PDB file of all heavy atoms in Angstrom:
ATOM      1  N   PRO O 490      19.843 -18.230  -6.239  1.00 98.00           N
ATOM      2  CA  PRO O 490      18.761 -17.224  -5.891  1.00 98.00           C
ATOM      3  C   PRO O 490      17.392 -17.858  -5.748  1.00 98.00           C
ATOM      4  O   PRO O 490      16.483 -17.186  -5.189  1.00 98.00           O
ATOM      5  CB  PRO O 490      18.753 -16.255  -7.166  1.00 98.00           C
ATOM      6  CG  PRO O 490      19.371 -17.160  -8.232  1.00 98.00           C
ATOM      7  CD  PRO O 490      20.236 -18.123  -7.624  1.00 98.00           C
ATOM      8  N   TYR O 491      17.286 -19.098  -6.120  1.00 98.00           N
ATOM      9  CA  TYR O 491      15.868 -19.725  -5.958  1.00 98.00           C
ATOM     10  C   TYR O 491      15.983 -21.236  -5.898  1.00 98.00           C
ATOM     11  O   TYR O 491      17.066 -21.852  -6.288  1.00 98.00           O
ATOM     12  CB  TYR O 491      14.915 -19.310  -7.052  1.00 98.00           C
ATOM     13  CG  TYR O 491      15.424 -19.742  -8.550  1.00 98.00           C
ATOM     14  CD1 TYR O 491      14.970 -20.992  -8.985  1.00 98.00           C
ATOM     15  CD2 TYR O 491      16.182 -18.978  -9.248  1.00 98.00           C
ATOM     16  CE1 TYR O 491      15.342 -21.372 -10.253  1.00 98.00           C
ATOM     17  CE2 TYR O 491      16.586 -19.308 -10.529  1.00 98.00           C
ATOM     18  CZ  TYR O 491      16.169 -20.556 -11.027  1.00 98.00           C
ATOM     19  OH  TYR O 491      16.557 -20.987 -12.318  1.00 98.00           O
ATOM     20  N   VAL O 492      14.962 -21.787  -5.425  1.00 97.00           N
ATOM     21  CA  VAL O 492      14.886 -23.269  -5.441  1.00 97.00           C
ATOM     22  C   VAL O 492      14.007 -23.750  -6.497  1.00 97.00           C
ATOM     23  O   VAL O 492      13.063 -23.255  -6.824  1.00 97.00           O
ATOM     24  CB  VAL O 492      14.177 -23.718  -4.002  1.00 97.00           C
ATOM     25  CG1 VAL O 492      13.975 -25.186  -3.960  1.00 97.00           C
ATOM     26  CG2 VAL O 492      14.784 -23.088  -2.814  1.00 97.00           C
ATOM     27  N   GLU O 493      14.666 -24.802  -7.273  1.00 95.00           N
ATOM     28  CA  GLU O 493      13.916 -25.318  -8.356  1.00 95.00           C
ATOM     29  C   GLU O 493      12.652 -26.031  -7.947  1.00 95.00           C
ATOM     30  O   GLU O 493      12.605 -26.704  -6.879  1.00 95.00           O
ATOM     31  CB  GLU O 493      14.769 -26.414  -9.094  1.00 95.00           C
ATOM     32  CG  GLU O 493      15.850 -25.941  -9.897  1.00 95.00           C
ATOM     33  CD  GLU O 493      15.423 -25.186 -11.198  1.00 95.00           C
ATOM     34  OE1 GLU O 493      14.259 -25.255 -11.526  1.00 95.00           O
ATOM     35  OE2 GLU O 493      16.304 -24.692 -11.834  1.00 95.00           O
ATOM     36  N   ILE O 494      11.555 -25.827  -8.639  1.00 96.00           N
ATOM     37  CA  ILE O 494      10.319 -26.392  -8.174  1.00 96.00           C
ATOM     38  C   ILE O 494       9.590 -27.143  -9.339  1.00 96.00           C
ATOM     39  O   ILE O 494       9.437 -26.522 -10.393  1.00 96.00           O
ATOM     40  CB  ILE O 494       9.302 -25.366  -7.649  1.00 96.00           C
ATOM     41  CG1 ILE O 494       9.986 -24.784  -6.330  1.00 96.00           C
ATOM     42  CG2 ILE O 494       8.009 -25.828  -7.362  1.00 96.00           C
ATOM     43  CD1 ILE O 494       9.292 -23.734  -5.686  1.00 96.00           C
ATOM     44  N   GLU O 495       9.227 -28.372  -9.116  1.00 96.00           N
ATOM     45  CA  GLU O 495       8.480 -29.084 -10.125  1.00 96.00           C
ATOM     46  C   GLU O 495       6.974 -29.121  -9.679  1.00 96.00           C
ATOM     47  O   GLU O 495       6.647 -29.463  -8.553  1.00 96.00           O
ATOM     48  CB  GLU O 495       8.981 -30.609 -10.086  1.00 96.00           C
ATOM     49  CG  GLU O 495      10.301 -30.766 -10.842  1.00 96.00           C
ATOM     50  CD  GLU O 495      10.168 -30.365 -12.387  1.00 96.00           C
ATOM     51  OE1 GLU O 495       9.160 -30.747 -12.993  1.00 96.00           O
ATOM     52  OE2 GLU O 495      11.056 -29.657 -12.849  1.00 96.00           O
ATOM     53  N   PRO O 496       6.161 -28.769 -10.636  1.00 97.00           N
ATOM     54  CA  PRO O 496       4.775 -28.729 -10.208  1.00 97.00           C
ATOM     55  C   PRO O 496       4.150 -30.139 -10.021  1.00 97.00           C
ATOM     56  O   PRO O 496       4.677 -31.070 -10.526  1.00 97.00           O
ATOM     57  CB  PRO O 496       4.080 -28.079 -11.381  1.00 97.00           C
ATOM     58  CG  PRO O 496       4.964 -28.256 -12.540  1.00 97.00           C
ATOM     59  CD  PRO O 496       6.399 -28.386 -12.017  1.00 97.00           C
ATOM     60  N   ARG O 497       3.059 -30.271  -9.291  1.00 97.00           N
ATOM     61  CA  ARG O 497       2.348 -31.470  -9.046  1.00 97.00           C
ATOM     62  C   ARG O 497       0.910 -31.095  -8.788  1.00 97.00           C
ATOM     63  O   ARG O 497       0.656 -29.977  -8.271  1.00 97.00           O
ATOM     64  CB  ARG O 497       2.981 -32.346  -7.955  1.00 97.00           C
ATOM     65  CG  ARG O 497       2.820 -31.651  -6.612  1.00 97.00           C
ATOM     66  CD  ARG O 497       3.396 -32.499  -5.504  1.00 97.00           C
ATOM     67  NE  ARG O 497       3.094 -31.897  -4.186  1.00 97.00           N
ATOM     68  CZ  ARG O 497       3.592 -32.239  -2.970  1.00 97.00           C
ATOM     69  NH1 ARG O 497       4.521 -33.233  -2.998  1.00 97.00           N
ATOM     70  NH2 ARG O 497       3.301 -31.686  -1.868  1.00 97.00           N
ATOM     71  N   GLN O 498       0.043 -32.003  -9.077  1.00 98.00           N
ATOM     72  CA  GLN O 498      -1.416 -31.727  -8.765  1.00 98.00           C
ATOM     73  C   GLN O 498      -1.605 -31.542  -7.306  1.00 98.00           C
ATOM     74  O   GLN O 498      -1.328 -32.463  -6.454  1.00 98.00           O
ATOM     75  CB  GLN O 498      -2.268 -32.814  -9.324  1.00 98.00           C
ATOM     76  CG  GLN O 498      -3.740 -32.422  -9.259  1.00 98.00           C
ATOM     77  CD  GLN O 498      -4.627 -33.603  -9.669  1.00 98.00           C
ATOM     78  OE1 GLN O 498      -4.274 -34.533 -10.221  1.00 98.00           O
ATOM     79  NE2 GLN O 498      -5.888 -33.490  -9.102  1.00 98.00           N
ATOM     80  N   ALA O 499      -2.084 -30.408  -6.878  1.00 98.00           N
ATOM     81  CA  ALA O 499      -2.389 -30.170  -5.480  1.00 98.00           C
ATOM     82  C   ALA O 499      -3.310 -28.940  -5.221  1.00 98.00           C
ATOM     83  O   ALA O 499      -3.339 -28.100  -6.233  1.00 98.00           O
ATOM     84  CB  ALA O 499      -1.114 -29.946  -4.730  1.00 98.00           C
ATOM     85  N   THR O 500      -3.833 -28.858  -4.059  1.00 97.00           N
ATOM     86  CA  THR O 500      -4.462 -27.624  -3.587  1.00 97.00           C
ATOM     87  C   THR O 500      -3.674 -27.139  -2.438  1.00 97.00           C
ATOM     88  O   THR O 500      -3.423 -27.922  -1.496  1.00 97.00           O
ATOM     89  CB  THR O 500      -5.948 -27.889  -3.243  1.00 97.00           C
ATOM     90  OG1 THR O 500      -6.609 -28.235  -4.481  1.00 97.00           O
ATOM     91  CG2 THR O 500      -6.579 -26.692  -2.733  1.00 97.00           C
ATOM     92  N   ALA O 501      -3.328 -25.942  -2.297  1.00 96.00           N
ATOM     93  CA  ALA O 501      -2.604 -25.473  -1.179  1.00 96.00           C
ATOM     94  C   ALA O 501      -3.184 -24.048  -0.831  1.00 96.00           C
ATOM     95  O   ALA O 501      -3.827 -23.249  -1.531  1.00 96.00           O
ATOM     96  CB  ALA O 501      -1.121 -25.236  -1.554  1.00 96.00           C
ATOM     97  N   HIS O 502      -2.919 -23.729   0.492  1.00 97.00           N
ATOM     98  CA  HIS O 502      -3.381 -22.562   1.151  1.00 97.00           C
ATOM     99  C   HIS O 502      -2.316 -21.804   1.815  1.00 97.00           C
ATOM    100  O   HIS O 502      -1.402 -22.470   2.352  1.00 97.00           O
ATOM    101  CB  HIS O 502      -4.508 -22.867   2.146  1.00 97.00           C
ATOM    102  CG  HIS O 502      -5.471 -23.895   1.827  1.00 97.00           C
ATOM    103  ND1 HIS O 502      -6.790 -23.678   1.595  1.00 97.00           N
ATOM    104  CD2 HIS O 502      -5.309 -25.285   1.623  1.00 97.00           C
ATOM    105  CE1 HIS O 502      -7.427 -24.755   1.317  1.00 97.00           C
ATOM    106  NE2 HIS O 502      -6.558 -25.694   1.230  1.00 97.00           N
ATOM    107  N   TRP O 503      -2.314 -20.582   1.851  1.00 98.00           N
ATOM    108  CA  TRP O 503      -1.197 -19.787   2.667  1.00 98.00           C
ATOM    109  C   TRP O 503      -1.717 -18.462   3.025  1.00 98.00           C
ATOM    110  O   TRP O 503      -2.469 -17.847   2.279  1.00 98.00           O
ATOM    111  CB  TRP O 503       0.000 -19.660   1.787  1.00 98.00           C
ATOM    112  CG  TRP O 503       1.249 -19.528   2.667  1.00 98.00           C
ATOM    113  CD1 TRP O 503       1.664 -18.318   3.249  1.00 98.00           C
ATOM    114  CD2 TRP O 503       2.165 -20.572   3.248  1.00 98.00           C
ATOM    115  NE1 TRP O 503       2.861 -18.643   3.979  1.00 98.00           N
ATOM    116  CE2 TRP O 503       3.105 -19.956   4.008  1.00 98.00           C
ATOM    117  CE3 TRP O 503       2.111 -21.937   3.001  1.00 98.00           C
ATOM    118  CZ2 TRP O 503       4.135 -20.716   4.638  1.00 98.00           C
ATOM    119  CZ3 TRP O 503       3.062 -22.629   3.593  1.00 98.00           C
ATOM    120  CH2 TRP O 503       4.124 -22.021   4.420  1.00 98.00           C
ATOM    121  N   CYS O 504      -1.310 -18.126   4.300  1.00 98.00           N
ATOM    122  CA  CYS O 504      -1.542 -16.669   4.691  1.00 98.00           C
ATOM    123  C   CYS O 504      -0.168 -16.011   5.017  1.00 98.00           C
ATOM    124  O   CYS O 504       0.714 -16.574   5.577  1.00 98.00           O
ATOM    125  CB  CYS O 504      -2.357 -16.691   5.957  1.00 98.00           C
ATOM    126  SG  CYS O 504      -4.089 -17.162   5.651  1.00 98.00           S
ATOM    127  N   THR O 505      -0.158 -14.772   4.602  1.00 98.00           N
ATOM    128  CA  THR O 505       0.989 -13.946   5.141  1.00 98.00           C
ATOM    129  C   THR O 505       0.310 -12.639   5.796  1.00 98.00           C
ATOM    130  O   THR O 505      -0.944 -12.432   5.582  1.00 98.00           O
ATOM    131  CB  THR O 505       2.011 -13.578   4.048  1.00 98.00           C
ATOM    132  OG1 THR O 505       1.358 -12.640   3.205  1.00 98.00           O
ATOM    133  CG2 THR O 505       2.555 -14.822   3.350  1.00 98.00           C
ATOM    134  N   GLU O 506       1.106 -11.854   6.340  1.00 98.00           N
ATOM    135  CA  GLU O 506       0.665 -10.685   6.990  1.00 98.00           C
ATOM    136  C   GLU O 506       0.912  -9.432   6.068  1.00 98.00           C
ATOM    137  O   GLU O 506       2.036  -8.891   6.148  1.00 98.00           O
ATOM    138  CB  GLU O 506       1.298 -10.401   8.364  1.00 98.00           C
ATOM    139  CG  GLU O 506       0.722 -11.342   9.429  1.00 98.00           C
ATOM    140  CD  GLU O 506      -0.786 -10.901   9.849  1.00 98.00           C
ATOM    141  OE1 GLU O 506      -1.327  -9.905   9.525  1.00 98.00           O
ATOM    142  OE2 GLU O 506      -1.420 -11.796  10.566  1.00 98.00           O
TER     143      GLU O 506
END
Side-chain angles (χ1 to χ4, degrees):
Chain O
Y491 62 91
V492 179
E493 285 289 353
I494 292 177
E495 282 300 315
R497 64 179 189 192
Q498 187 188 339
T500 294
H502 317 246
W503 203 273
C504 287
T505 68
E506 285 287 349

